[in-house]
Amino acid sequence: MLFPEHDFLDRFGAAAKAGFRGVEYLFPYAYRLEDLAGCLREAGLEQVLFNLPPGNWEAGERGLASLPGREAEFQASVAEALRYAEALDCPRIHAMAGLLPERADRETVEAHHHTYLKNLRFAAGEAAKAGRDLLIEPINQRDMPGYFLSRQADAIKVIDEVGADNLRLQFDVYHCQIMDGDLISHMERQFHAIGHVQIAGVPERHEPDLGEVCYPEVLARLDSLGYTGWVGCEYRPAGNTWAGLGWGQAYGLSTDTTTRGH
Ligand SMILES: O=C(O)C(=O)[C@H](O)CO
Ligand SMILES: [Mg+2]
């Protein structure tokens, strides 16, 4: 989502020049593995996370994991994601849950829940064989109406029901603020399950210093909890990406325009 001023494969160099040490993105599948691996190597970056294939994104699909009748496609998506994760040395992959049909009745919701648990057990098992973590993320209903997983408590319940050590929570602060609020309490209560963190300003999803969330306090508390994982900057720059990085200087990022030479 950052550096949209550049073609995708050029964003790796821009991220490194800005001081990032790792990158994540939604989907790698439109690109050749060797091109992505070369970008990481040349920029000296780690591949931190990406998503499993989401179904037909252009047609509005937002993941396969809870969709009854699509299990074979989901299993193939796990294999494809793990193939990319192996080549890019990516320790974690995110399985998007998918959308409920409009006005879903109780039976439909239960069928999605049953499918979700079954698929996550399969995917966590395959990821564990490869030494990788599988993440699930509650996503807010404003950005993704009908998304099957939107509340923090539901995500923790699913993680407990699946019972796989490598099934972890993708704690996106932006979504948590919109759907549940009470950010620091949720972060503290769920800390045992957090496998990745993402941040963005609320409500516009711009830079973290724009909006209602006090990120210096949230990130300081994350540190004091002993978090040693990554924090993904999953936001849409309000303007030029570089101009908006001032918030990150406290975390080693640079807004130095002289490094823009790219
Ligand atoms: O939407 C988000 O916050 C995500 O992190 C998903 O991976 C992509 O939609
Ligand atoms: Mg997110």
Short mmCIF file of all heavy atoms in Angstrom, two decimals, residues 73-131:
data_model
loop_
_atom_site.label_atom_id
_atom_site.label_comp_id
_atom_site.label_asym_id
_atom_site.label_seq_id
_atom_site.Cartn_x
_atom_site.Cartn_y
_atom_site.Cartn_z
N GLU A 73 -10.26 -25.82 -3.79
CA GLU A 73 -9.60 -24.58 -4.23
C GLU A 73 -8.79 -23.98 -3.09
O GLU A 73 -7.67 -23.51 -3.26
CB GLU A 73 -10.65 -23.59 -4.73
CG GLU A 73 -10.09 -22.34 -5.40
CD GLU A 73 -11.21 -21.40 -5.88
OE1 GLU A 73 -12.38 -21.82 -5.89
OE2 GLU A 73 -10.87 -20.25 -6.21
N PHE A 74 -9.36 -24.04 -1.90
CA PHE A 74 -8.63 -23.51 -0.73
C PHE A 74 -7.36 -24.33 -0.49
O PHE A 74 -6.28 -23.75 -0.29
CB PHE A 74 -9.50 -23.54 0.53
CG PHE A 74 -8.75 -23.11 1.76
CD1 PHE A 74 -8.50 -21.76 1.99
CD2 PHE A 74 -8.27 -24.04 2.66
CE1 PHE A 74 -7.79 -21.36 3.11
CE2 PHE A 74 -7.54 -23.64 3.79
CZ PHE A 74 -7.31 -22.30 4.01
N GLN A 75 -7.47 -25.64 -0.58
CA GLN A 75 -6.29 -26.47 -0.35
C GLN A 75 -5.20 -26.18 -1.39
O GLN A 75 -4.01 -26.10 -1.06
CB GLN A 75 -6.68 -27.95 -0.36
CG GLN A 75 -7.53 -28.33 0.85
CD GLN A 75 -7.86 -29.81 0.92
OE1 GLN A 75 -7.35 -30.60 0.13
NE2 GLN A 75 -8.71 -30.18 1.87
N ALA A 76 -5.62 -25.95 -2.62
CA ALA A 76 -4.63 -25.60 -3.67
C ALA A 76 -4.01 -24.23 -3.37
O ALA A 76 -2.82 -24.00 -3.61
CB ALA A 76 -5.33 -25.58 -5.02
N SER A 77 -4.80 -23.33 -2.80
CA SER A 77 -4.27 -21.98 -2.48
C SER A 77 -3.23 -22.07 -1.37
O SER A 77 -2.26 -21.30 -1.34
CB SER A 77 -5.41 -21.04 -2.06
OG SER A 77 -5.81 -21.25 -0.72
N VAL A 78 -3.41 -23.01 -0.46
CA VAL A 78 -2.43 -23.20 0.61
C VAL A 78 -1.10 -23.67 0.01
O VAL A 78 -0.03 -23.13 0.33
CB VAL A 78 -2.94 -24.23 1.64
CG1 VAL A 78 -1.86 -24.59 2.65
CG2 VAL A 78 -4.19 -23.70 2.35
N ALA A 79 -1.19 -24.62 -0.92
CA ALA A 79 0.04 -25.14 -1.55
C ALA A 79 0.76 -24.04 -2.32
O ALA A 79 1.98 -23.89 -2.24
CB ALA A 79 -0.32 -26.29 -2.49
N GLU A 80 -0.01 -23.20 -3.02
CA GLU A 80 0.59 -22.11 -3.81
C GLU A 80 1.24 -21.09 -2.87
O GLU A 80 2.37 -20.63 -3.11
CB GLU A 80 -0.49 -21.44 -4.66
CG GLU A 80 -0.01 -20.27 -5.52
CD GLU A 80 0.86 -20.71 -6.69
OE1 GLU A 80 1.39 -21.84 -6.65
OE2 GLU A 80 1.06 -19.90 -7.62
N ALA A 81 0.57 -20.74 -1.80
CA ALA A 81 1.13 -19.77 -0.85
C ALA A 81 2.39 -20.31 -0.21
O ALA A 81 3.39 -19.59 -0.08
CB ALA A 81 0.09 -19.42 0.22
N LEU A 82 2.40 -21.59 0.13
CA LEU A 82 3.59 -22.17 0.76
C LEU A 82 4.73 -22.29 -0.24
O LEU A 82 5.91 -22.18 0.14
CB LEU A 82 3.26 -23.53 1.38
CG LEU A 82 2.39 -23.44 2.65
CD1 LEU A 82 1.96 -24.84 3.11
CD2 LEU A 82 3.13 -22.71 3.77
N ARG A 83 4.40 -22.46 -1.52
CA ARG A 83 5.45 -22.48 -2.55
C ARG A 83 6.13 -21.12 -2.60
O ARG A 83 7.37 -21.02 -2.65
CB ARG A 83 4.84 -22.84 -3.91
CG ARG A 83 5.82 -23.01 -5.05
CD ARG A 83 5.12 -23.60 -6.28
NE ARG A 83 4.32 -22.59 -6.95
CZ ARG A 83 4.82 -21.76 -7.90
NH1 ARG A 83 6.11 -21.82 -8.21
NH2 ARG A 83 4.06 -20.86 -8.51
N TYR A 84 5.34 -20.07 -2.59
CA TYR A 84 5.92 -18.71 -2.60
C TYR A 84 6.65 -18.42 -1.28
O TYR A 84 7.72 -17.82 -1.26
CB TYR A 84 4.82 -17.68 -2.84
CG TYR A 84 4.59 -17.35 -4.30
CD1 TYR A 84 3.90 -18.22 -5.14
CD2 TYR A 84 5.08 -16.18 -4.86
CE1 TYR A 84 3.70 -17.93 -6.48
CE2 TYR A 84 4.89 -15.87 -6.20
CZ TYR A 84 4.19 -16.75 -7.01
OH TYR A 84 4.02 -16.46 -8.34
N ALA A 85 6.07 -18.88 -0.19
CA ALA A 85 6.71 -18.60 1.12
C ALA A 85 8.07 -19.27 1.22
O ALA A 85 9.02 -18.69 1.75
CB ALA A 85 5.81 -19.09 2.26
N GLU A 86 8.17 -20.45 0.63
CA GLU A 86 9.46 -21.16 0.62
C GLU A 86 10.50 -20.38 -0.18
O GLU A 86 11.61 -20.12 0.27
CB GLU A 86 9.25 -22.56 0.01
CG GLU A 86 10.53 -23.37 -0.22
CD GLU A 86 11.13 -23.89 1.07
OE1 GLU A 86 10.37 -24.03 2.04
OE2 GLU A 86 12.36 -24.10 1.12
N ALA A 87 10.08 -19.93 -1.35
CA ALA A 87 11.02 -19.24 -2.25
C ALA A 87 11.42 -17.87 -1.69
O ALA A 87 12.51 -17.37 -1.94
CB ALA A 87 10.38 -19.08 -3.62
N LEU A 88 10.53 -17.25 -0.94
CA LEU A 88 10.80 -15.90 -0.43
C LEU A 88 11.21 -15.89 1.04
O LEU A 88 11.36 -14.84 1.66
CB LEU A 88 9.55 -15.02 -0.63
CG LEU A 88 9.05 -14.90 -2.08
CD1 LEU A 88 7.76 -14.10 -2.14
CD2 LEU A 88 10.12 -14.29 -2.98
N ASP A 89 11.34 -17.11 1.58
CA ASP A 89 11.71 -17.26 3.00
C ASP A 89 10.79 -16.44 3.90
O ASP A 89 11.24 -15.67 4.78
CB ASP A 89 13.17 -16.84 3.21
CG ASP A 89 13.67 -17.28 4.61
OD1 ASP A 89 13.06 -18.20 5.20
OD2 ASP A 89 14.64 -16.65 5.10
N CYS A 90 9.49 -16.57 3.65
CA CYS A 90 8.48 -15.80 4.40
C CYS A 90 7.92 -16.67 5.52
O CYS A 90 7.35 -17.72 5.27
CB CYS A 90 7.36 -15.39 3.45
SG CYS A 90 6.14 -14.33 4.23
N PRO A 91 8.07 -16.22 6.78
CA PRO A 91 7.71 -17.09 7.91
C PRO A 91 6.22 -17.22 8.18
O PRO A 91 5.80 -18.09 8.95
CB PRO A 91 8.35 -16.38 9.11
CG PRO A 91 9.16 -15.26 8.58
CD PRO A 91 8.67 -14.96 7.21
N ARG A 92 5.39 -16.33 7.56
CA ARG A 92 3.98 -16.36 7.92
C ARG A 92 3.11 -16.00 6.73
O ARG A 92 3.52 -15.18 5.88
CB ARG A 92 3.70 -15.40 9.10
CG ARG A 92 4.09 -13.95 8.82
CD ARG A 92 4.09 -13.09 10.06
NE ARG A 92 5.17 -13.48 10.98
CZ ARG A 92 6.46 -13.15 10.81
NH1 ARG A 92 6.84 -12.46 9.75
NH2 ARG A 92 7.36 -13.53 11.69
N ILE A 93 1.95 -16.63 6.66
CA ILE A 93 0.99 -16.37 5.57
C ILE A 93 -0.39 -16.16 6.19
O ILE A 93 -0.70 -16.71 7.26
CB ILE A 93 0.95 -17.54 4.55
CG1 ILE A 93 0.71 -18.88 5.24
CG2 ILE A 93 2.23 -17.56 3.72
CD1 ILE A 93 0.62 -20.08 4.30
N HIS A 94 -1.20 -15.32 5.54
CA HIS A 94 -2.51 -14.95 6.07
C HIS A 94 -3.62 -15.55 5.20
O HIS A 94 -3.62 -15.34 3.98
CB HIS A 94 -2.64 -13.43 6.12
CG HIS A 94 -4.02 -12.95 6.40
ND1 HIS A 94 -4.59 -11.86 5.73
CD2 HIS A 94 -4.98 -13.39 7.25
CE1 HIS A 94 -5.82 -11.68 6.17
NE2 HIS A 94 -6.09 -12.58 7.10
N ALA A 95 -4.52 -16.27 5.85
CA ALA A 95 -5.66 -16.87 5.14
C ALA A 95 -6.89 -15.98 5.33
O ALA A 95 -7.42 -15.85 6.44
CB ALA A 95 -5.96 -18.26 5.69
N MET A 96 -7.35 -15.38 4.24
CA MET A 96 -8.55 -14.54 4.33
C MET A 96 -9.78 -15.44 4.40
O MET A 96 -9.85 -16.48 3.76
CB MET A 96 -8.62 -13.58 3.14
CG MET A 96 -7.51 -12.54 3.16
SD MET A 96 -7.72 -11.27 1.90
CE MET A 96 -9.11 -10.35 2.63
N ALA A 97 -10.76 -15.01 5.20
CA ALA A 97 -11.89 -15.89 5.55
C ALA A 97 -12.95 -15.97 4.46
O ALA A 97 -13.64 -16.98 4.33
CB ALA A 97 -12.54 -15.38 6.84
N GLY A 98 -13.13 -14.89 3.70
CA GLY A 98 -14.20 -14.88 2.70
C GLY A 98 -15.45 -14.17 3.21
O GLY A 98 -15.53 -13.76 4.36
N LEU A 99 -16.43 -14.03 2.34
CA LEU A 99 -17.65 -13.25 2.63
C LEU A 99 -18.85 -14.17 2.85
O LEU A 99 -19.00 -15.20 2.18
CB LEU A 99 -17.96 -12.31 1.46
CG LEU A 99 -16.86 -11.34 1.01
CD1 LEU A 99 -17.35 -10.54 -0.21
CD2 LEU A 99 -16.44 -10.42 2.14
N LEU A 100 -19.68 -13.80 3.80
CA LEU A 100 -20.99 -14.45 3.94
C LEU A 100 -21.92 -13.90 2.86
O LEU A 100 -21.80 -12.73 2.49
CB LEU A 100 -21.58 -14.13 5.31
CG LEU A 100 -21.11 -14.94 6.51
CD1 LEU A 100 -21.60 -14.29 7.80
CD2 LEU A 100 -21.61 -16.39 6.43
N PRO A 101 -22.86 -14.71 2.36
CA PRO A 101 -23.86 -14.15 1.44
C PRO A 101 -24.75 -13.17 2.21
O PRO A 101 -24.88 -13.24 3.44
CB PRO A 101 -24.66 -15.38 0.99
CG PRO A 101 -24.37 -16.45 1.99
CD PRO A 101 -23.04 -16.16 2.58
N GLU A 102 -25.37 -12.23 1.46
CA GLU A 102 -26.24 -11.26 2.14
C GLU A 102 -27.39 -11.99 2.85
O GLU A 102 -27.86 -13.03 2.37
CB GLU A 102 -26.80 -10.27 1.10
CG GLU A 102 -25.78 -9.22 0.67
CD GLU A 102 -26.42 -8.08 -0.15
OE1 GLU A 102 -27.57 -7.69 0.20
OE2 GLU A 102 -25.79 -7.65 -1.12
N ARG A 103 -27.80 -11.47 3.96
CA ARG A 103 -28.93 -12.02 4.74
C ARG A 103 -28.73 -13.52 5.01
O ARG A 103 -29.64 -14.33 4.85
CB ARG A 103 -30.26 -11.77 4.02
CG ARG A 103 -30.66 -10.28 3.99
CD ARG A 103 -32.00 -10.07 3.31
NE ARG A 103 -31.89 -10.41 1.86
CZ ARG A 103 -31.34 -9.60 0.97
NH1 ARG A 103 -30.79 -8.45 1.36
NH2 ARG A 103 -31.29 -9.93 -0.31
N ALA A 104 -27.48 -13.88 5.39
CA ALA A 104 -27.17 -15.30 5.67
C ALA A 104 -27.98 -15.76 6.89
O ALA A 104 -28.02 -15.08 7.92
CB ALA A 104 -25.68 -15.44 5.93
N ASP A 105 -28.63 -16.91 6.76
CA ASP A 105 -29.39 -17.44 7.90
C ASP A 105 -28.44 -18.21 8.82
O ASP A 105 -27.27 -18.41 8.49
CB ASP A 105 -30.55 -18.32 7.42
CG ASP A 105 -30.06 -19.51 6.59
OD1 ASP A 105 -28.84 -19.86 6.70
OD2 ASP A 105 -30.85 -20.07 5.82
N ARG A 106 -28.96 -18.64 9.93
CA ARG A 106 -28.13 -19.30 10.95
C ARG A 106 -27.43 -20.55 10.39
O ARG A 106 -26.25 -20.79 10.64
CB ARG A 106 -29.02 -19.70 12.15
CG ARG A 106 -28.29 -20.36 13.32
CD ARG A 106 -29.29 -20.80 14.40
NE ARG A 106 -28.59 -21.40 15.53
CZ ARG A 106 -28.00 -20.69 16.51
NH1 ARG A 106 -28.04 -19.37 16.46
NH2 ARG A 106 -27.38 -21.30 17.50
N GLU A 107 -28.18 -21.30 9.58
CA GLU A 107 -27.61 -22.53 9.02
C GLU A 107 -26.41 -22.20 8.12
O GLU A 107 -25.38 -22.88 8.15
CB GLU A 107 -28.70 -23.26 8.21
CG GLU A 107 -28.31 -24.63 7.69
CD GLU A 107 -29.45 -25.27 6.86
OE1 GLU A 107 -30.59 -24.78 6.97
OE2 GLU A 107 -29.16 -26.20 6.10
N THR A 108 -26.54 -21.12 7.36
CA THR A 108 -25.43 -20.71 6.47
C THR A 108 -24.21 -20.28 7.28
O THR A 108 -23.08 -20.65 6.97
CB THR A 108 -25.90 -19.56 5.56
OG1 THR A 108 -27.04 -20.00 4.80
CG2 THR A 108 -24.79 -19.11 4.62
N VAL A 109 -24.45 -19.50 8.31
CA VAL A 109 -23.33 -19.06 9.17
C VAL A 109 -22.63 -20.27 9.80
O VAL A 109 -21.40 -20.35 9.81
CB VAL A 109 -23.83 -18.08 10.25
CG1 VAL A 109 -22.71 -17.75 11.25
CG2 VAL A 109 -24.39 -16.81 9.63
N GLU A 110 -23.43 -21.22 10.25
CA GLU A 110 -22.84 -22.43 10.85
C GLU A 110 -22.05 -23.24 9.84
O GLU A 110 -20.97 -23.77 10.14
CB GLU A 110 -23.94 -23.28 11.51
CG GLU A 110 -24.46 -22.66 12.82
CD GLU A 110 -25.61 -23.46 13.42
OE1 GLU A 110 -26.03 -24.47 12.79
OE2 GLU A 110 -26.09 -23.05 14.50
N ALA A 111 -22.53 -23.29 8.62
CA ALA A 111 -21.79 -24.01 7.56
C ALA A 111 -20.46 -23.32 7.27
O ALA A 111 -19.43 -23.97 7.09
CB ALA A 111 -22.65 -24.08 6.29
N HIS A 112 -20.48 -21.98 7.26
CA HIS A 112 -19.23 -21.24 7.05
C HIS A 112 -18.26 -21.49 8.22
O HIS A 112 -17.06 -21.69 8.01
CB HIS A 112 -19.52 -19.73 6.93
CG HIS A 112 -19.86 -19.30 5.53
ND1 HIS A 112 -19.04 -18.53 4.77
CD2 HIS A 112 -20.96 -19.54 4.77
CE1 HIS A 112 -19.59 -18.29 3.59
NE2 HIS A 112 -20.76 -18.89 3.57
N HIS A 113 -18.80 -21.49 9.42
CA HIS A 113 -17.94 -21.69 10.59
C HIS A 113 -17.31 -23.10 10.57
O HIS A 113 -16.10 -23.24 10.78
CB HIS A 113 -18.76 -21.51 11.88
CG HIS A 113 -17.94 -21.58 13.13
ND1 HIS A 113 -17.07 -20.58 13.52
CD2 HIS A 113 -17.83 -22.56 14.07
CE1 HIS A 113 -16.47 -20.91 14.65
NE2 HIS A 113 -16.91 -22.12 15.01
N HIS A 114 -18.11 -24.07 10.23
CA HIS A 114 -17.60 -25.46 10.16
C HIS A 114 -16.50 -25.57 9.09
O HIS A 114 -15.43 -26.16 9.32
CB HIS A 114 -18.76 -26.41 9.84
CG HIS A 114 -18.34 -27.83 9.62
ND1 HIS A 114 -17.95 -28.67 10.66
CD2 HIS A 114 -18.20 -28.55 8.47
CE1 HIS A 114 -17.62 -29.85 10.15
NE2 HIS A 114 -17.75 -29.80 8.83
N THR A 115 -16.78 -24.98 7.93
CA THR A 115 -15.80 -25.01 6.83
C THR A 115 -14.51 -24.28 7.23
O THR A 115 -13.40 -24.74 6.95
CB THR A 115 -16.41 -24.36 5.57
OG1 THR A 115 -17.63 -25.04 5.24
CG2 THR A 115 -15.44 -24.44 4.38
N TYR A 116 -14.68 -23.16 7.90
CA TYR A 116 -13.54 -22.33 8.33
C TYR A 116 -12.61 -23.14 9.24
O TYR A 116 -11.39 -23.20 9.01
CB TYR A 116 -14.08 -21.11 9.06
CG TYR A 116 -13.14 -19.96 9.27
CD1 TYR A 116 -12.23 -19.56 8.30
CD2 TYR A 116 -13.19 -19.23 10.45
CE1 TYR A 116 -11.38 -18.47 8.49
CE2 TYR A 116 -12.35 -18.13 10.65
CZ TYR A 116 -11.45 -17.76 9.68
OH TYR A 116 -10.61 -16.69 9.88
N LEU A 117 -13.20 -23.79 10.25
CA LEU A 117 -12.39 -24.57 11.19
C LEU A 117 -11.68 -25.71 10.47
O LEU A 117 -10.49 -25.96 10.67
CB LEU A 117 -13.26 -25.12 12.32
CG LEU A 117 -13.91 -24.09 13.25
CD1 LEU A 117 -14.70 -24.81 14.35
CD2 LEU A 117 -12.89 -23.14 13.86
N LYS A 118 -12.40 -26.40 9.59
CA LYS A 118 -11.82 -27.53 8.86
C LYS A 118 -10.66 -27.06 7.98
O LYS A 118 -9.57 -27.64 7.98
CB LYS A 118 -12.92 -28.18 8.00
CG LYS A 118 -12.49 -29.38 7.18
CD LYS A 118 -13.69 -29.99 6.45
CE LYS A 118 -14.30 -29.02 5.46
NZ LYS A 118 -15.42 -29.57 4.66
N ASN A 119 -10.89 -25.97 7.25
CA ASN A 119 -9.84 -25.45 6.35
C ASN A 119 -8.64 -24.93 7.13
O ASN A 119 -7.48 -25.13 6.72
CB ASN A 119 -10.42 -24.35 5.47
CG ASN A 119 -11.20 -24.89 4.27
OD1 ASN A 119 -11.04 -26.05 3.88
ND2 ASN A 119 -12.06 -24.06 3.71
N LEU A 120 -8.88 -24.27 8.25
CA LEU A 120 -7.76 -23.74 9.03
C LEU A 120 -6.94 -24.87 9.65
O LEU A 120 -5.71 -24.79 9.74
CB LEU A 120 -8.26 -22.78 10.11
CG LEU A 120 -8.83 -21.44 9.61
CD1 LEU A 120 -9.35 -20.62 10.79
CD2 LEU A 120 -7.80 -20.66 8.80
N ARG A 121 -7.61 -25.94 10.07
CA ARG A 121 -6.86 -27.09 10.60
C ARG A 121 -5.95 -27.66 9.51
O ARG A 121 -4.78 -27.94 9.75
CB ARG A 121 -7.83 -28.16 11.10
CG ARG A 121 -8.49 -27.82 12.42
CD ARG A 121 -9.23 -29.00 13.05
NE ARG A 121 -9.90 -28.55 14.27
CZ ARG A 121 -11.21 -28.25 14.33
NH1 ARG A 121 -11.97 -28.39 13.23
NH2 ARG A 121 -11.76 -27.81 15.45
N PHE A 122 -6.50 -27.77 8.30
CA PHE A 122 -5.69 -28.28 7.19
C PHE A 122 -4.52 -27.34 6.90
O PHE A 122 -3.36 -27.76 6.84
CB PHE A 122 -6.56 -28.43 5.93
CG PHE A 122 -5.75 -28.66 4.68
CD1 PHE A 122 -5.26 -29.94 4.39
CD2 PHE A 122 -5.43 -27.61 3.82
CE1 PHE A 122 -4.48 -30.16 3.25
CE2 PHE A 122 -4.65 -27.82 2.69
CZ PHE A 122 -4.17 -29.10 2.41
N ALA A 123 -4.83 -26.05 6.77
CA ALA A 123 -3.79 -25.08 6.38
C ALA A 123 -2.72 -24.94 7.46
O ALA A 123 -1.52 -24.87 7.16
CB ALA A 123 -4.44 -23.73 6.09
N ALA A 124 -3.14 -24.95 8.71
CA ALA A 124 -2.15 -24.84 9.80
C ALA A 124 -1.25 -26.07 9.80
O ALA A 124 -0.03 -25.96 10.01
CB ALA A 124 -2.87 -24.70 11.14
N GLY A 125 -1.82 -27.22 9.50
CA GLY A 125 -1.01 -28.44 9.44
C GLY A 125 0.01 -28.39 8.32
O GLY A 125 1.19 -28.72 8.52
N GLU A 126 -0.42 -27.94 7.16
CA GLU A 126 0.52 -27.82 6.02
C GLU A 126 1.59 -26.76 6.31
O GLU A 126 2.76 -26.96 6.02
CB GLU A 126 -0.27 -27.44 4.75
CG GLU A 126 -1.22 -28.54 4.27
CD GLU A 126 -0.49 -29.84 3.99
OE1 GLU A 126 0.37 -29.86 3.09
OE2 GLU A 126 -0.75 -30.83 4.71
N ALA A 127 1.17 -25.65 6.90
CA ALA A 127 2.15 -24.59 7.22
C ALA A 127 3.14 -25.08 8.26
O ALA A 127 4.34 -24.79 8.18
CB ALA A 127 1.42 -23.34 7.72
N ALA A 128 2.65 -25.85 9.22
CA ALA A 128 3.55 -26.36 10.28
C ALA A 128 4.62 -27.28 9.69
O ALA A 128 5.79 -27.21 10.07
CB ALA A 128 2.74 -27.10 11.34
N LYS A 129 4.21 -28.10 8.70
CA LYS A 129 5.18 -28.99 8.05
C LYS A 129 6.31 -28.17 7.40
O LYS A 129 7.45 -28.63 7.29
CB LYS A 129 4.50 -29.83 6.96
CG LYS A 129 3.56 -30.91 7.48
CD LYS A 129 2.89 -31.60 6.28
CE LYS A 129 1.63 -32.36 6.68
NZ LYS A 129 0.84 -32.76 5.48
N ALA A 130 5.96 -26.94 6.96
CA ALA A 130 6.94 -26.07 6.29
C ALA A 130 7.61 -25.12 7.29
O ALA A 130 8.38 -24.24 6.89
CB ALA A 130 6.24 -25.26 5.20
N GLY A 131 7.25 -25.26 8.57
CA GLY A 131 7.86 -24.41 9.59
C GLY A 131 7.38 -22.97 9.55
O GLY A 131 8.13 -22.04 9.90
#
